[in-house]
Amino acid sequence: MAFLDHNDIVIGSTDDGHTFVLLNRALPAAQRILTDHGFTARQPSGPGRPLYLLPPAYAGEQAHTRTGEAMHFLFQHTWDVTDLSWTTRWNPDEPLPEPDVHFDVSGERVTATARTDAARRVLADHGFTPTQDGYSLPAGTQETRQLAAVVQAEIALSMENLGARIGLGFRTPADIPTAPARTSAPTATPPAAPAPDRPRRTR
């Protein structure tokens, strides 16, 4: 899957707890905005796309605040944003629930596992079908539609106070590709995920 390639800005998390912001389109103000909020720039050595990182020490409240405030200013330049992160999730009023659903978007197909009936119902409502090991989206589904299904299912889980975590398959920032997996433009853009600074209850 190439879920990182379809939006101007993609927010994500690595398995070791880094928060990253990846730019697929040149936004001249982005470097100043992100570095002002504590992100470190990792520029590609050749043709590629800029990547900005927050270390694992900032996961939770600080990652939530810093990323949310940075996106507030970046929204002046683009609304084309997808948020697939788990390190930015934080609730000042109560602990976040343990993930009821784990999404895995690192392979050829999007898969998910669910540990409650309520979570299984949400997955079914968003096009996931049962498999021997959990759930998956149907083979042949357009990649942008798969991305939209994951984002929308995560939002629906959040609204029911069910935890979710999206695994992108990046163990460390070194695993994040510096160039898109393909150069052709997508035929459709999925709905952007809610901004990180909006109240979120899960992940």
Side-chain angles (χ1 to χ4, degrees):
M1 304 303 296
F3 273 23
L4 302 188
D5 300 345
H6 297 290
N7 300 87
D8 290 348
I9 298 175
V10 179
I11 306 167
S13 305
T14 58
D15 294 345
D16 66 357
H18 284 81
T19 303
F20 68 82
V21 175
L22 189 68
L23 304 182
N24 284 312
R25 181 166 72 87
L27 299 170
Q31 180 165 353
R32 175 185 55 78
I33 291 170
L34 288 164
T35 55
D36 282 353
H37 288 87
F39 286 81
T40 300
R42 192 193 81 180
Q43 299 292 340
S45 57
R49 50 192 175 188
L51 176 70
Y52 297 85
L53 300 168
L54 276 180
Y58 290 143
E61 179 179 0
Q62 286 206 48
H64 172 91
T65 301
R66 290 171 183 263
T67 306
E69 290 177 353
M71 293 312 303
H72 171 77
F73 293 103
L74 287 170
F75 282 146
Q76 297 174 22
H77 304 276
T78 181
W79 284 96
D80 187 21
V81 178
T82 290
D83 182 3
L84 305 172
S85 65
W86 57 266
T87 47
T88 61
R89 302 311 182 220
W90 175 73
N91 187 332
D93 300 320
E94 60 187 57
L96 294 178
E98 290 297 316
D100 296 277
V101 173
H102 282 85
F103 296 97
D104 184 349
V105 303
S106 63
E108 292 298 318
R109 295 181 66 182
V110 175
T111 61
T113 57
R115 62 183 185 88
T116 64
D117 288 340
R120 295 182 191 100
R121 176 180 51 77
V122 171
L123 290 177
D125 288 346
H126 289 83
F128 287 80
T129 57
T131 67
Q132 184 175 358
D133 300 319
Y135 289 81
S136 70
L137 291 172
T141 303
Q142 185 185 33
E143 191 168 87
T144 51
R145 292 187 180 276
Q146 294 189 59
L147 174 56
V150 170
V151 170
Q152 292 165 3
E154 194 276 337
I155 293 170
L157 290 161
S158 175
M159 293 179 66
E160 296 195 23
N161 200 31
L162 298 171
R165 179 164 169 169
I166 300 173
L168 299 173
F170 305 134
R171 188 175 59 84
T172 71
D175 298 323
I176 301 170
T178 57
R182 57 182 63 82
T183 57
S184 60
T187 57
T189 300
D197 57 342
R198 298 178 188 174
R200 299 297 299 277
R201 298 181 63 85
T202 63
R203 240 196 331 189

